[in-house]
Amino acid sequence: MNISAQARHHRTLLLNAMESAGFTNYGTEFWHFSAADRYDALMRREPHARYGPVELP
C-alpha cells in the first residue's frame, strides 16, 4: 500500500475512533464500518445481530 505517513496516521485515527464507538471495520475498506448488523455480529462472534432486514406488512 503506497500511502503517505500522514494518510496512514489519519486512517489509524479513524479506525480507533470508530472502534471506540462500537463500530466494526471491513478489513479491505478502511472507510467502511458496520454496527449491530450481521457482519458486525459475525466479526464479534455474537449469536445474532441486534438488527437486520425488516418485513413490511
Side-chain angles (χ1 to χ4, degrees):
M1 175 177 7
N2 287 330
I3 62 172
S4 69
Q6 183 180 24
R8 185 173 290 109
H9 173 72
H10 288 152
R11 288 182 183 189
T12 300
L13 286 175
L14 175 63
L15 178 65
N16 291 339
M18 295 297 283
E19 286 183 345
S20 293
F23 289 82
T24 297
N25 177 246
Y26 281 43
T28 59
E29 301 173 343
F30 77 87
W31 65 89
H32 196 156
F33 292 85
S34 178
D37 62 5
R38 292 185 308 173
Y39 179 78
D40 183 53
L42 176 68
M43 294 295 101
R44 295 177 187 274
R45 298 178 184 221
E46 298 288 340
H48 54 81
R50 284 187 272 158
Y51 67 85
V54 175
E55 291 185 32
L56 299 175

